[in-house]
Amino acid sequence: MSDLILPFMSYAIVTTFTPGPNNITASAHGMRLGYRRSLPWLLGVTLGFFSVMFASGLLTEFLVRAYAVIAPWLRWIGVAYMIWLGVSLFVPHRGSADRKQGEATFISGFLLQFINPKGVLYGITVYTSFSALIAGSLSAVTASAIGLASLGFSAVSLWAFTGATLARFLANGRAKLSFNILMALLLAWCAVSIAMH
């Protein structure tokens, strides 16, 4: 069992920190709102991610069988959401700061986890591949879900902080447009990858 720790940690770190809907959106929110005003969304992502991981750990066998049925729906909902996120980068955000704050809500971050194909598939994969290490009992599933959610919070925080830091450098319109194009292309890449698999 101890020989699974290094592969598990490697898989968890690489998968959690690579671009996906959570990280790309966190970066865009950080750039537009700053880290502090993105925090409710980041916390929503974290609690939603914990919920998905906890459910995956408890329901691994059922989810593996059910994934074949729900995957097409989940895939296209996730693809549509990612396309919407990409397009929203180019929609002017008018109105008060409160309205902008409302775009990065706890609830929107939480709910994203249940239509995020990368997150759901990650939960199923990690709990089936490393079940001897992180599943098998309620305490193991709870501890692993907390650990994975903490790692997830670190990832979205890093991406949001990077976006907030880049905002200072992207103050002019041309640089901001380039950044938004890059984020939109990454979201499109995620959407196409999900649609093709």
Side-chain angles (χ1 to χ4, degrees), residues 16 21 23 25 47-48 50 72 91-92 99 104-105 107 123 132 151 157 161 163 184:
T16 304
N23 293 338
T25 306
L47 183 60
F50 167 80
V91 175
R99 181 175 167 204
T105 64
I107 294 295
L151 186 64
S157 287
F161 183 75

Side-chain angles (χ1 to χ4, degrees), residues 63-77:
L63 287 173
V64 168
R65 283 185 267 124
Y67 190 73
V69 175
I70 64 170
W73 295 99
L74 189 63
R75 176 184 308 137
W76 291 112
I77 291 169

Side-chain angles (χ1 to χ4, degrees), residues 19-45:
N22 290 342
N23 293 338
I24 295 168
T25 306
S27 182
H29 282 323
M31 188 179 127
R32 195 176 74 245
L33 302 171
Y35 182 83
R36 188 178 308 149
R37 288 176 49 211
S38 299
L39 199 53
W41 187 86
L42 300 174
L43 293 172
V45 165

Side-chain angles (χ1 to χ4, degrees), residues 31 39-40 51-52 103 130 145 155 157 176 192:
M31 188 179 127
L39 199 53
S51 300
V52 170
E103 295 170 4
F130 300 102
S157 287
K176 186 174 181 178
V192 168

Side-chain angles (χ1 to χ4, degrees), residues 36-189:
R36 188 178 308 149
R37 288 176 49 211
S38 299
L39 199 53
W41 187 86
L42 300 174
L43 293 172
V45 165
T46 303
L47 183 60
F49 190 70
F50 167 80
S51 300
V52 170
M53 293 304 104
F54 187 72
S56 296
L58 292 179
L59 305 169
T60 298
E61 189 176 324
F62 170 76
L63 287 173
V64 168
R65 283 185 267 124
Y67 190 73
V69 175
I70 64 170
W73 295 99
L74 189 63
R75 176 184 308 137
W76 291 112
I77 291 169
V79 165
Y81 184 71
M82 282 182 258
I83 290 169
W84 176 82
L85 286 173
V87 169
S88 73
L89 292 171
F90 301 99
V91 175
H93 297 284
R94 295 196 175 107
S96 68
D98 290 339
R99 181 175 167 204
K100 288 185 179 181
Q101 171 68 21
E103 295 170 4
T105 64
F106 178 88
I107 294 295
S108 66
F110 180 80
L111 293 177
L112 171 61
Q113 302 320 294
F114 298 96
I115 61 166
N116 177 357
K118 180 183 175 187
V120 172
L121 188 55
Y122 171 76
I124 293 170
T125 303
V126 79
Y127 280 99
T128 54
S129 300
F130 300 102
S131 61
L133 182 65
I134 59 173
S137 71
L138 183 59
S139 60
V141 169
T142 302
S144 60
I146 289 170
L148 292 169
S150 298
L151 186 64
F153 180 74
S154 299
V156 292
S157 287
L158 177 65
W159 279 77
F161 183 75
T162 301
T165 303
L166 286 175
R168 285 182 263 160
F169 301 106
L170 301 175
N172 77 38
R174 186 173 289 179
K176 186 174 181 178
L177 176 64
S178 298
F179 179 80
N180 284 347
I181 289 171
L182 176 63
M183 291 296 104
L185 288 173
L186 284 170
L187 283 166
W189 172 73

